Amino acid sequence: MSSNKEIAVRVLDAVGGKENVNSVVHCATRLRFKLKDEHKADTARLNQDDDVIQVVQSGGQYQVVIGSHVSDVYRELNGVANFDGEADSKGDKGNLLNQLVDIISSIFTPFLGAMAGAGVLKGFLTLAVTLNWLAADSGVYTVLYAIADGLFTYLPVMLAFTAAKKFRTNEFLAVSLAMALVHPDITALAGQTLSFLGLPVIIGASAYTSSVIPIILAVFLQSYVERFFKKVIPSFLQIICVPLAVFLIMAPLTFIVVGPLGTILGNLLGSAYDSIYHFSPLIAGAVMGGLWQVFVMFGMHWGFVPIIMLNLSQTGVDTMVPMLLPAVLSQGGAALAVFFMTKNVKLKGLALSSTITSIFGITEPTVYGVTLPLKKPFIAACISGALGGAFIGFSQVENYTFGLVSLLSLPSFIPQDTKDLSGLIAASIGTAIAFGAAFVLTFFLRFEDQPATDASVAPAKEPAAPTESSSKERVILSSPLEGKVVPLAEVKDQVFSSGALGKGIAIEPTVGALYAPADGTITTLFPTGHAVGLTTTDGAEVLMHIGMDTVELDGKGFEVFVKQDDQVKRGDLLVKFDLDTIKAAGLSTITPIVVTNTPQYLDVMDMNQTDVLQGEDFLAIVK
């Protein structure tokens, strides 16, 4: 395995270099890039890197899954490129959902590890008191509880710092606002109303300790207030006058408007979740247990983090985390089954290590390295997660502290006041159901094993002559375009639609750029740039014809980046073309991609996609 610095250098180069990065953060297992142009990233190269588990393009982020040592790689990445949160934030922000996901992940990710550690410690302290291992008034309990509970009590302070970095405003001014919200004089007035120059200041029943939304909204507004005063105050006065102006504006604004508004929004969000949960805890558990890993894959899981935090801050209990535990452990059960079933030594080792990491709440290596590539184990894990989640939902298990969802979460299901173990027992049963069902179901569904790659598993005797089915190999082409997939039969050109030129598929592009679908040589290049022929290193002859009858444009709107006989790599830019120019001429932009030497192969198959991103697996050529 390469050093963390070597990994960082390769990843940075593959995503297009520092100049292509708007921002980068990391979570438990992945680097989350916001790139200026995702087409400049070499996704194929990253996916082939032994130190990269997978690349995920979701939620407006370009996510490079590294594994549990991602923080070390991120540190080296900062050392190489000196990002440290200073990357340019301009560029394509995506839709509103993508922006919200990006904001939430950027704010919570930096201290997720500390929050998970504190939550697990708090749960184990409760278990220790319940089993009479520790006395609640002992010095050991008091000291450890202070660190376990302190982070959650003063959560607004942590959120203020990370939100300030996200919104690019002064972190220490933001932290000062948060400290005001949790100041003892303010918390002592919980449930009361003050007067500020005749205006009412409403302090909620629980004040603002452990709150989430108020401080995030306050820091967001602070970023605008601070920028305004930096424009109007002379530079030689800014060091004192800007902070003073921010305090004088933001302190009353936060307590009079933002704080109560944030509390109202939090209550509405909490009430909406409660309504759904109480409609049917069993259905809620089945849905969350079955789909949680799907949410994680698309980055949507960050949208649930504020709900969990709100549940805990408003009522002291949360019902969502227990329902997620089966989803996490079921991936481990499926991976363990793969360990026993596969003949591939490398996959066997990855499956065993992934089983262990999933027990501790890290599922990305399991999902992207084992269950998802094999497909059926992932399906088995999702079904089993739904079963375990339904049982836990039906049992109405409650969680009393935040932490990374893992087997270590179980003690956090014990209430501190009653020391009732029923929640822990029900959660343990539900988790065991999910783990065991995933293990058994993976054996039942089976999967297409990867070929053995180690000499130790080679047969000792002379192998029999291969049959047609056993000798099949596949060459995978990546999509040269981004757009909507169109069956070749629907192309309004008889030569292409009839398959006379070969099997393939067509794309109606949404971005005017054509890229190499594989490593190879440019063997056909029309001067007009409207058609490119590539012979891959595997011998496949691929013709890409941009639009229909676009030869009539005589090269207008086309910019060619390669020459005849050029050697190209998968993902290299071949041609840029102006979609508006083609449409203005009344021509179709639908682009057929066909394998012209199809008769030399057993089959050329598409992958049943409706929309495709450039660089995604697109066509499979069966030898």
Side-chain angles (χ1 to χ4, degrees), residues 342-366:
T342 184
K343 299 289 193 297
N344 184 305
V345 172
K346 183 177 179 180
L347 179 59
K348 187 180 286 287
L350 180 60
L352 182 60
S353 64
S354 297
T355 302
I356 297 170
T357 60
S358 66
I359 290 174
F360 292 98
I362 308 298
T363 57
E364 278 87 346
T366 314

Side-chain angles (χ1 to χ4, degrees), residues 474-518:
R474 293 188 179 191
V475 175
I476 304 297
L477 301 181
S478 64
S479 174
L481 296 165
E482 177 177 338
K484 179 182 178 181
V485 176
V486 178
L488 207 57
E490 296 181 13
V491 174
K492 291 180 171 52
D493 184 289
Q494 182 62 28
V495 175
F496 285 108
S497 61
S498 66
L501 285 178
K503 290 186 176 181
I505 202 74
I507 298 175
E508 185 173 0
T510 54
V511 177
L514 181 78
Y515 296 83

Side-chain angles (χ1 to χ4, degrees), residues 36-86:
K36 296 175 183 177
D37 184 357
E38 289 193 2
H39 294 103
K40 291 183 179 179
D42 192 342
T43 303
R45 173 149 60 105
L46 285 170
N47 278 327
Q48 292 167 4
D49 193 314
D50 288 339
D51 294 300
V52 174
I53 296 173
Q54 181 65 289
V55 173
V56 181
Q57 294 171 262
S58 176
Q61 295 181 341
Y62 191 88
Q63 304 170 17
V64 182
V65 185
I66 300 293
S68 56
H69 62 295
V70 67
S71 60
D72 298 323
V73 176
Y74 176 78
R75 191 179 302 111
E76 295 292 349
L77 186 68
N78 256 334
V80 171
N82 193 28
F83 289 119
D84 198 25
E86 297 300 322

Side-chain angles (χ1 to χ4, degrees), residues 397-445:
V397 179
E398 295 178 335
N399 168 52
Y400 299 91
T401 185
F402 187 88
L404 191 66
V405 182
S406 72
L407 202 62
L408 298 177
S409 302
L410 288 172
S412 65
F413 304 155
I414 304 172
Q416 288 180 285
D417 49 357
T418 63
K419 302 178 183 178
D420 182 8
L421 295 176
S422 60
L424 182 147
I425 294 171
S428 299
I429 295 173
T431 303
I433 290 172
F435 188 92
F439 183 85
V440 173
L441 196 55
T442 300
F443 268 97
F444 177 76
L445 293 177

Side-chain angles (χ1 to χ4, degrees), residues 233-241:
I233 295 176
S235 58
F236 68 93
L237 293 175
Q238 286 186 3
I239 190 170
I240 295 175
C241 293

Side-chain angles (χ1 to χ4, degrees), residues 110-124:
F111 61 93
L112 184 62
M115 198 156 47
V120 170
L121 177 57
K122 195 172 181 180
F124 275 113

Side-chain angles (χ1 to χ4, degrees), residues 146 149-160 178-179 181-184 187 208-211:
D149 190 57
L151 185 151
F152 301 102
T153 299
Y154 299 105
L155 181 63
V157 177
M158 308 283 279
L159 291 170
M179 288 178 172
L181 286 175
V182 296
H183 193 280
T187 56
Y208 294 106
T209 55
S210 303
S211 62

